[in-house]
Amino acid sequence: MKIDKIQFENVRYNPEFGAFESLVKIHDHGETFSYPAQVAAPLHAEYGIIVRGLMQAARNTHKKATGNTRLHHAAPLRAATVDASQQSLLTRLLGNAAA
């Protein structure tokens, strides 16, 4: 299995468990999956150790996961993206109330 890209969202330290946590997004064959990951480490641990631990935890979950246990992100529809970009910022924020 070849993973195209891995992203970390809001890496944070949880003092209750003495671990770093993050939502890890894995881009695999044009699809995006998200997994919560946790790595036990002291608050002063090196960043490289933390990232490798979170990445390995997410990869292990990705390998074990089946279709029903994965959080899969659907690709946005191109038409919806184009329509939204052509609307003014005020209209996008307030919707019909701006009119």
Side-chain angles (χ1 to χ4, degrees), residues 23-42:
L23 183 65
V24 181
K25 289 185 177 181
I26 294 181
H27 302 272
D28 187 10
H29 299 299
E31 296 183 275
T32 304
F33 304 93
S34 293
Y35 303 99
Q38 185 181 58
V39 61

Side-chain angles (χ1 to χ4, degrees), residues 7-12 21-25 34-37 54 71 73:
Q7 291 178 297
F8 299 95
E9 302 239 339
N10 297 333
V11 177
R12 61 199 165 275
E21 302 171 333
S22 179
L23 183 65
V24 181
K25 289 185 177 181
S34 293
Y35 303 99
L54 291 171
L71 177 56
H73 297 272

